[in-house]
Amino acid sequence: MQPLDHILGPPILALVFLSLGWPYVRLVSGGRPLNRTQRQMLFYGFLFVLGMGYSMALVAYLHRPGQWSLILTAGWGLLLGIIAWWRRRCAASCPEDESTG
């Protein structure tokens, strides 16, 4: 049963994060629809929780407690941060196509 928890646990927790985060962000914004920044933060938060869950499951599966969970979680967060920064920089430098929107 434990390997099944390692596979199904992270997506379930990430969906719980998303299902609690979405209404909270709507509440903070006064009931208005989420703007682009809020949606991106929620998306990257979802991905962080998902990746963090799988990294912790990997550490538990390999029986390597201690600093490995911190190293993998920090590495995953750093990777997501770099991807978000890169996508933001590309979006700022490339003008959007006005015919698609």
Side-chain angles (χ1 to χ4, degrees):
M1 188 70 136
Q2 191 175 8
L4 188 62
D5 293 343
H6 290 194
I7 294 170
L8 295 178
I12 291 171
L13 289 176
L15 288 173
V16 167
F17 169 82
L18 190 62
S19 66
L20 293 175
W22 188 277
Y24 178 74
V25 174
R26 291 279 313 255
L27 178 72
V28 168
S29 67
R32 292 184 304 273
L34 277 59
N35 62 29
R36 181 178 179 193
T37 303
Q38 291 169 330
R39 285 192 310 268
Q40 286 178 342
M41 293 298 291
L42 202 57
F43 172 72
Y44 284 118
F46 172 80
L47 287 181
F48 178 74
V49 170
L50 186 64
M52 180 185 62
Y54 278 123
S55 70
M56 293 174 88
L58 178 67
V59 168
Y61 180 73
L62 297 176
H63 304 290
R64 299 280 186 191
Q67 67 185 16
W68 284 106
S69 62
L70 179 64
I71 290 170
L72 287 175
T73 301
W76 177 244
L78 183 64
L79 178 66
L80 274 179
I82 290 170
I83 291 170
W85 172 77
W86 180 73
R87 288 185 62 188
R88 184 73 156 175
R89 190 174 60 105
C90 287
S93 66
C94 301
E96 292 186 22
D97 186 14
E98 294 179 9
S99 63
T100 60

